[in-house]
Amino acid sequence: MIPIHNIQKALAAALSGGGDFAEIFLEDSLSNNLSMVGGRIDSATTDRLHGAGIRIYKDLGSVYVHTSRTDLSGLLRAAKQAADAVGRAKETQGAITIADTPVCCEQIPVRRAPSDIAHTRKREYLAMAHAAAKGMGDAVAQVRCILGDKVQKVWVYNSKGLHAHEVRTRTRFVVHVVASNGHENQTGLETAGRLGGYELFDRIDPEVLGRDAARRALTMLEAGLCPAGEMPVVIAGGFGGVIFHEACGHSLEATSVALGNSEFCGKLGLSIASPLVTAIDDGTIPGAWGSIAMDDEGTPAGRLVLIEQGVLKNYMVDRLNGRRMDMPVTGSARRQSYACAPTSRMRNTYIAPGDSDVAEMISTMGDGLYAKRMGGGSVNPVTGEFNFSVSEGYLVRDGKIAKPVRGATLVGSGAKVLERIDRVGKDLSLADGICGSISGAVPVCVGQPTIRVSSMTVGGLEG
Amino acid sequence: MKMESFSAELLERAVKSGFAQAEVYIKSGESFEAGTHEGEINSYEVSGSFGLGFRGLYNGKMGYASTQALDDDAMEQLIRGAKQNALLIDEEEAETLFEGATKYPDVNAFSEALEEVSAKAKLEKLLKLDELGRSLDEEVRSLEDCSLFSASGETRMMNTLGLDLCFRKNICGMSLTPIARRGNQSETSFRFACSRDFHALDPEALAKEGVQEALSRLGGEVLPSGAYPVVFRRDAAQALLGTFTGVFNAEAAQKGLSLLKGREGQTIASPMVTILDDPLQWIGARPFDGEGVPGSAKALVEDGVLCTLMHNRKTAAKQGTKTTGNASRSYGSKLGVSPTTFYLKPGSLGYEALLREVHQGILITGLQGLHSGADPVSGDFSLSAKGFRIEGGALGGPVTGITVAGNFFTLLQAVQCLGDDLYFGFPGGSCIGSTSLYGGKLTIAGK
């Protein structure tokens, strides 16, 4: 869309300050978001994101400039600003040659593009989920359903001659239910997102999502308070994988490792987890919410084994941190939009299946917590301390699921929890989420089979 | 200018294509941010941002669309997008545009002097912060983050009812996260300062504060689980309050997402609690809200009684009341409600006196996981925390690896002591302030 000679001029201008590498990331995205509350559509928006980010390296220093002006004068102005921040060139920069046609990594075709979907159809999906959730009982006080789609077109050019292009279509459906008994509220959330268009609805049923979210809110309304203390915890698959994402995944991103700020620095080849744990970050799973054909530096996405039978095998590495660490890139560089400089991020991250049986895990755990659905969480990569919330939890007494409990939070340190995983089930599943970090919010999948941690601190409301 | 002529043409074309009212909301700005690693500048970012939001009344409903590009497709995309979106809306509450007020408060939120500060001066100050952060103590030799930013922006609104407003602001700030290490233990602490006066940013004070805080956390122990008297230090109290401001949002209440729905005039908090929202105060000051309504100060809670929720014109019309000037808007988001400068009115106790008063218990100085472990709909929170013991009315040893759990509404009612130490933080574009507070016993999970 931008003439290639403009890109070549802007890259040359970017290197005029003495930088040794320059990159232009161009984005044009169109998103639609539709929200239904109480059975009525209360919000419908269409937003177009457009701009370019120019990045220059000089040794280990980097400069990033972004602008929404992508005509030649806008790009040159931004490139000049960036070059000036780098300094003064010792010699005149030669011309940069970029291929006329982009390298396109293999992409799965979108079968039902957002632009082909009638608004009445979108409304039907929302109404189905709303009615199904409402139908679960009078205590269902409010249902909010959101249907969002986004077509993100990106182009990456760099001074080594790269010209790469990808169109990423993503569609996501969210149901949020509030159950109330008049003086207390509890919530239930279900989400389903795919890389692709409205073929999402070939795989999911809005009514099932609505019912599941309502069931969770109603269950939690009846739930007792979660006891506080240290206990064994069984974490169900799917979104339960957020435990690996927070407790370990962020600390394996070069963002933390390259600067010596991760508890897993210098541990490649060493055992950092229970031998039952094999963990993978895979950008290539067809249609998965966190999949990408190429990363935001134009490197093809791959499948990366992070931990194999407890031994640390790889970090997730972007181009700049690769320089710091003297390691190759892993297709992990991501950013929310052109307004963010990219850095190493997770894509679809999961613990591989093991051979334990879920019923056995629970029956042999004694007294503890069964976390059926996790909420979100966060981690401090320096100390490894993580926390996340349990949105549907059950107290286990003497190996039997006793009663639902609410208000549970799990805290601990990443290194310790990885060592304490004493069961890994066979039932792998993935779930979609949005991960926030220094390069913004990006779509990711988390995942795992059901696992058991022999002992964790559980925060609850009952002392 | 391209943007001005584009906007004028857009409004004209909107009216011609059937919109009864139409409005343009533009945000543009420039920003600078740099960071260090071990004494070197390792990141440097400059940006020019621009976004244009269009909303218009079509067929009795408000349709929205936005763009960051002003190319040939943009105008058509905006008009077609907003039209289609208006036709989708089936909410019955009418959303209309505002024609503007006769008078607006005079808010001075733009410093010409700040615009004159050179990149060189900014980098020098940043490097000074980096150096101080790594040299004040032997146990603090590295920083997880050290950065400095400045930003300026302009908000422009114009509509077919004659509203025509413009507001400029700028700000600068810096932050650092020192890492304290002792043996195989490590602790961090994040510190942030911002101002409109570049010279008021004091690297020495910030570094000292951050380093001391990180050091003080070393050697923390895990407490036995149980119920403890809990004091939230002003920064932790501010983070907690900031997470729950949404319960005072009339839009959330009307949609059944806040337990304060219909509670106006009732006692919802301890008589010590007064909560104010004042768009004219401090660094977040602004002369008008997202609908162009002039700002003014008001009490949301006075002596424990809920006076009003925060409203925009649409939520106010639904309840038959007046807007409180809390409309939120950006070019890429629809009309909503948000706090401006929202704060807990300080009490009379000094920080030390408050600790003496509580005598035995736990002081919470840091909370993590607020985005997931706190639910504004139920008020429940269960959060990873750090802090200190309070022993004999003074600070004892550090505690770590614990969670603190409770319910926000219960805590509001249980407030027994308020400090005089008002502190502001800046989550999500609002300016939220709290003092240290004591609300009785809460559940702590540890070992």
Side-chain angles (χ1 to χ4, degrees):
Chain A
M1 54 181 275
I2 307 273
I4 209 73
H5 50 90
N6 286 1
I7 296 291
Q8 289 170 352
K9 281 180 195 158
L11 282 171
L15 289 183
S16 68
D20 58 63
F21 174 84
E23 170 196 86
I24 297 179
F25 176 86
L26 201 68
E27 173 175 12
D28 196 60
S29 296
L30 194 64
S31 56
N32 294 292
N33 283 289
L34 208 53
S35 149
M36 176 179 272
V37 174
R40 296 169 186 274
I41 290 184
D42 72 323
S43 164
T45 54
T46 303
D47 301 297
R48 183 168 163 209
L49 206 69
H50 178 91
I54 301 182
R55 197 157 59 133
I56 306 172
Y57 298 164
K58 186 181 182 186
D59 303 323
L60 297 182
S62 76
V63 170
Y64 192 69
V65 175
H66 67 87
T67 176
S68 44
R69 283 183 51 202
T70 58
D71 55 0
L72 180 61
S73 70
L75 287 177
L76 284 177
R77 181 173 178 267
K80 191 78 179 42
Q81 269 182 319
D84 287 348
V86 173
R88 207 173 293 268
K90 290 184 193 75
E91 54 206 78
T92 318
Q93 175 64 40
I96 290 168
T97 312
I98 304 281
D100 276 340
T101 47
V103 181
C104 290
C105 300
E106 197 182 336
Q107 287 171 247
I108 296 168
V110 171
R111 283 192 288 111
R112 295 175 65 201
S115 54
D116 296 342
I117 306 300
H119 283 108
T120 47
R121 190 83 195 116
K122 293 187 182 182
R123 181 196 293 274
E124 264 172 45
Y125 292 134
L126 293 164
M128 282 164 76
H130 175 266
K134 252 325 207 190
M136 291 293 284
D138 292 341
V140 173
Q142 189 57 278
V143 182
R144 176 189 278 271
C145 311
I146 298 163
L147 177 54
D149 58 61
K150 181 173 183 175
V151 179
Q152 184 195 32
K153 297 177 188 163
V154 303
W155 292 260
V156 184
Y157 313 89
N158 69 33
S159 54
K160 294 188 165 162
L162 178 77
H163 176 184
H165 175 50
E166 181 181 0
V167 180
R168 301 169 186 149
T169 301
R170 286 196 173 85
T171 307
R172 195 172 195 227
F173 195 74
V174 177
V175 186
H176 184 254
V177 173
V178 179
S180 180
N181 57 16
H183 51 95
E184 275 183 333
N185 286 346
Q186 287 293 325
T187 57
L189 176 74
E190 279 293 325
T191 69
R194 299 278 294 171
L195 176 73
Y198 280 73
E199 59 268 30
L200 169 72
F201 291 94
D202 299 345
R203 304 175 66 106
I204 65 155
D205 180 346
E207 292 186 345
V208 172
L209 253 64
R211 276 196 293 272
D212 283 353
R215 185 190 49 74
R216 177 162 310 120
L218 292 167
T219 304
M220 288 301 103
L221 199 59
E222 299 298 318
L225 302 180
C226 181
E230 228 177 309
M231 60 188 84
V233 180
V234 167
I235 303 167
F239 205 76
V242 73
I243 186 172
F244 184 82
H245 177 101
E246 297 297 350
C248 184
H250 279 296
S251 305
L252 296 178
E253 292 167 343
T255 318
S256 302
V257 179
L259 301 179
N261 290 342
S262 163
E263 61 173 341
F264 299 117
C265 283
K267 300 229 165 130
L268 278 181
L270 301 180
S271 169
I272 62 161
S274 149
L276 299 174
V277 176
T278 291
I280 290 150
D281 180 72
D282 189 350
T284 68
I285 302 171
W289 175 242
S291 288
I292 45 180
M294 65 173 194
D295 74 2
D296 290 332
E297 293 175 333
T299 305
R303 178 179 183 276
L304 189 66
V305 176
L306 301 173
I307 297 173
E308 193 169 16
Q309 296 180 344
V311 176
L312 180 60
K313 291 288 179 188
N314 282 294
Y315 299 120
M316 291 165 270
V317 185
D318 58 286
R319 196 185 296 271
L320 180 62
N321 286 308
R323 279 189 174 197
R324 290 198 179 105
M325 299 161 75
D326 196 19
M327 289 181 85
V329 295
T330 56
S332 308
R334 304 187 68 188
R335 49 181 134 198
Q336 179 176 335
S337 74
Y338 73 90
C340 305
T343 192
S344 50
R345 301 288 295 270
M346 285 174 266
R347 299 163 304 186
N348 306 298
T349 316
Y350 60 92
I351 296 178
D355 56 12
S356 290
D357 180 63
V358 178
E360 184 270 344
M361 279 186 220
I362 294 174
S363 68
T364 58
M365 75 188 282
D367 294 347
L369 181 74
Y370 172 51
K372 187 172 175 195
R373 180 65 152 82
M374 301 302 303
S378 65
V379 67
N380 178 338
V382 176
T383 61
E385 293 167 307
F386 65 78
N387 67 84
F388 43 101
S389 65
V390 179
S391 56
E392 183 180 355
Y394 296 85
L395 209 58
V396 176
R397 284 214 188 94
D398 199 20
K400 291 184 186 67
I401 291 177
K403 59 166 190 176
V405 285
R406 64 185 167 93
T409 294
L410 305 180
V411 299
S413 103
K416 276 189 195 133
V417 80
L418 285 178
E419 279 161 13
R420 288 180 186 167
I421 294 175
D422 69 354
R423 293 286 191 285
V424 176
K426 303 165 191 162
D427 53 335
L428 172 66
S429 61
L430 300 185
D432 56 289
I434 305 280
C435 170
S437 185
I438 56 171
S439 63
V442 297
V444 296
C445 274
V446 298
Q448 63 171 40
T450 305
I451 64 164
R452 188 169 82 186
V453 182
S454 60
S455 170
M456 280 184 96
T457 299
V458 176
L461 290 153
E462 192 178 85
Chain B
M1 198 189 152
K2 199 181 175 190
M3 180 187 87
E4 293 285 333
S5 58
F6 183 94
S7 303
E9 194 186 331
L10 177 62
L11 290 180
E12 202 174 303
R13 281 199 23 198
V15 171
K16 275 189 195 143
S17 55
F19 284 89
Q21 302 179 348
E23 183 172 271
V24 170
Y25 184 104
I26 297 166
K27 279 225 178 218
S28 56
E30 302 214 324
S31 70
F32 167 93
E33 183 168 4
T36 62
H37 180 62
E38 290 179 353
E40 309 243 328
I41 302 290
N42 82 328
S43 71
Y44 186 106
E45 281 194 41
V46 178
S47 76
S49 62
F50 169 82
L52 185 150
F54 171 79
R55 64 172 178 155
L57 200 60
Y58 185 78
N59 203 28
K61 309 282 179 178
M62 196 65 78
Y64 283 79
S66 83
T67 185
Q68 293 183 331
L70 296 185
D71 56 18
D72 298 342
D73 299 338
M75 195 160 310
E76 175 57 25
Q77 256 170 2
L78 289 171
I79 294 201
R80 197 185 51 225
K83 223 182 235 191
Q84 282 177 351
N85 287 332
L87 291 173
L88 271 164
I89 299 289
D90 33 33
E91 201 184 37
E92 279 162 357
E93 295 85 41
E95 180 178 331
T96 57
L97 300 185
F98 181 54
E99 71 278 13
T102 47
K103 203 169 179 303
Y104 284 88
D106 192 18
V107 173
N108 185 9
F110 192 83
S111 155
E112 294 290 349
L114 178 55
E115 295 304 296
E116 299 303 316
V117 177
S118 68
K120 187 164 168 270
K122 290 173 190 169
L123 295 180
E124 273 168 14
K125 185 166 280 201
L126 173 63
L127 287 168
K128 179 88 185 148
L129 180 65
D130 175 281
E131 189 204 328
L132 285 164
R134 294 179 300 120
S135 62
L136 293 177
D137 193 281
E138 278 185 1
E139 288 178 318
V140 182
R141 285 289 176 250
S142 58
L143 307 172
E144 187 190 12
D145 155 77
C146 177
S147 61
L148 184 143
F149 79 94
S150 64
S152 65
E154 184 179 279
T155 303
R156 181 100 168 81
M157 291 177 74
M158 53 202 121
N159 70 29
T160 55
L161 302 185
L163 183 88
D164 190 350
L165 296 171
C166 184
F167 170 58
R168 280 203 305 168
K169 65 176 179 182
N170 58 5
I171 191 168
C172 60
M174 57 189 193
S175 67
L176 93 163
T177 308
I179 305 173
R181 290 201 165 92
R182 184 181 297 159
N184 57 3
Q185 284 179 62
S186 55
E187 288 288 347
T188 61
S189 91
F190 171 76
R191 277 293 174 272
F192 174 78
C194 68
S195 175
R196 200 154 284 134
D197 176 5
F198 181 72
H199 302 288
L201 293 179
D202 182 354
E204 203 151 330
L206 198 70
K208 223 179 236 174
E209 214 182 294
V211 167
Q212 272 168 9
E213 177 81 3
L215 281 172
S216 72
R217 289 179 167 174
L218 285 172
E221 51 171 338
V222 182
L223 293 168
S225 302
Y228 293 80
V230 169
V231 176
F232 291 93
R233 193 174 69 185
R234 61 184 196 163
D235 43 353
Q238 180 272 329
L240 192 65
L241 183 65
T243 307
F244 286 102
T245 56
V247 305
F248 296 97
N249 177 331
E251 188 183 13
Q254 288 170 4
K255 288 179 173 163
L257 303 172
S258 167
L259 285 167
L260 296 184
K261 180 181 186 175
R263 302 283 307 274
E264 288 96 336
Q266 297 178 19
T267 299
I268 60 143
S270 146
M272 305 189 73
V273 174
T274 291
I275 297 174
L276 304 159
D277 183 76
D278 184 352
L280 306 180
Q281 289 294 325
W282 288 290
I283 201 103
R286 63 180 196 197
F288 54 86
D289 72 359
E291 291 179 295
V293 172
S296 64
K298 66 266 164 193
L300 301 176
V301 177
E302 192 159 18
D303 304 330
V305 176
L306 180 65
C307 307
T308 181
L309 296 173
M310 299 182 288
H311 285 280
N312 58 31
R313 289 172 63 255
K314 183 181 172 187
T315 64
K318 188 173 181 189
Q319 260 176 260
T321 179
K322 274 180 69 179
T323 175
T324 56
N326 284 95
S328 65
R329 187 66 217 285
S330 186
Y331 62 86
S333 63
K334 64 183 280 272
L335 177 68
V337 173
S338 74
T340 60
T341 295
F342 177 104
Y343 65 103
L344 190 60
K345 191 178 164 193
S348 54
L349 277 179
Y351 171 64
E352 275 87 22
L354 199 155
L355 298 183
R356 276 199 299 279
E357 181 88 17
V358 177
H359 200 69
Q360 290 293 121
I362 304 300
L363 175 76
I364 300 292
T365 59
L367 293 169
Q368 292 87 43
L370 285 151
H371 69 291
S372 58
D375 184 354
V377 175
S378 64
D380 288 345
F381 61 87
S382 176
L383 301 163
S384 172
K386 282 183 193 294
F388 298 88
R389 289 175 190 274
I390 303 169
E391 285 169 341
L395 269 198
V399 294
T400 188
I402 58 165
T403 67
V404 58
N407 181 282
F408 179 70
F409 299 103
T410 313
L411 182 66
L412 276 183
Q413 287 171 340
V415 170
Q416 295 173 31
C417 304
L418 279 183
D420 62 0
D421 51 348
L422 186 60
Y423 168 85
F424 281 97
F426 308 92
S430 299
C431 185
I432 311 292
S434 181
T435 67
S436 298
L437 68 87
Y438 172 59
K441 284 189 175 180
L442 291 173
T443 308
I444 299 276
K447 58 190 178 194

